[in-house]
Amino acid sequence: MWRDKVILLGITGGIAAYKSVALASKLTQAGASVDVVMTPAAMEFVQPLSFAAVTHRPVYHNPWHSDRKPEHIALAERPDLIVVAPCTANTMAKLAHGLADNLLTSVLLATKKPVVLAPAMNTGMWTAKPTERNLAVLRDDGYHIIEPGTGNLACGDAGVGRMAEPEDILKALEPLLT
């Protein structure tokens, strides 16, 4: 199923970014070509080298570095599917309002490919009215949402907001590739 598929994995700035290294590795091991795009905040949590090591491909984060078609357009056209994991409340708000202030949000605004968001955030942020409104807009715009799980959160709280586990994300992506 994953052979000959190109997956763009977007990483945003949350502690759950460490799980995305495992997700990138599992996608690669399954036979997909995985392009990784990181936001500046994501690079505060996980280094691009971690993703390059497991995907054997370059990691993109600079919207101004390209010697061909604008990078965000090339990256928007190339994949079969785009997954943003983790997807922070900040990135969800940007997408809901059409803001493109980094390479990842520019790619997402430009793409016509299916986009899957795996949110990860504190319970209070997940249940906040603005987040609920943004989720409704994103669903209406055609984004696929993998609901966060419940458990211990990095902030010390317990509740809903944990990014789905890499294995669960893989299972959720399969129907979108057939």
Side-chain angles (χ1 to χ4, degrees):
M1 160 170 297
W2 298 98
R3 295 251 174 253
D4 301 320
K5 298 295 184 187
V6 176
I7 308 299
L8 188 143
L9 178 58
I11 315 297
T12 68
I15 188 63
Y18 78 91
K19 288 182 174 182
S20 299
V21 177
L23 178 59
S25 179
K26 289 179 184 304
L27 286 165
T28 301
Q29 290 172 16
S33 294
V34 181
D35 288 325
V36 175
V37 176
M38 299 180 74
T39 66
M43 292 188 294
E44 296 292 326
F45 290 93
V46 182
Q47 294 297 308
L49 181 59
S50 298
F51 291 101
V54 299
T55 65
H56 314 288
R57 297 173 65 85
V59 175
Y60 301 92
H61 54 85
N62 184 348
W64 311 115
H65 178 71
S66 180
D67 54 359
R68 57 187 191 289
K69 184 184 274 193
E71 198 79 76
H72 66 289
I73 301 301
L75 290 166
E77 293 173 349
R78 186 178 314 143
D80 296 292
L81 178 68
I82 298 175
V83 182
V84 181
C87 188
T88 60
N90 185 52
T91 297
M92 288 173 32
K94 289 177 184 183
L95 296 176
H97 296 282
L99 300 176
D101 66 349
N102 60 51
L103 181 58
L104 179 59
T105 54
S106 295
V107 168
L108 294 170
L109 194 60
T111 195
K112 305 268 189 275
K113 306 299 173 116
V115 177
V116 178
L117 307 177
M121 63 197 73
N122 171 272
T123 302
M125 295 171 76
W126 177 250
T127 59
K129 293 291 183 190
T131 303
E132 291 177 1
R133 285 192 300 271
N134 290 336
L135 272 167
V137 168
L138 293 168
R139 284 187 173 110
D140 189 53
D141 286 350
Y143 287 86
H144 302 272
I145 310 296
I146 299 175
E147 297 287 325
T150 301
N152 293 323
L153 305 174
C155 63
D157 292 345
V160 67
R162 290 179 57 90
M163 185 177 95
E165 296 302 319
E167 298 80 11
D168 297 327
I169 294 172
L170 281 174
K171 288 178 192 168
L173 299 179
E174 289 177 0
L176 298 172
L177 291 172
T178 57

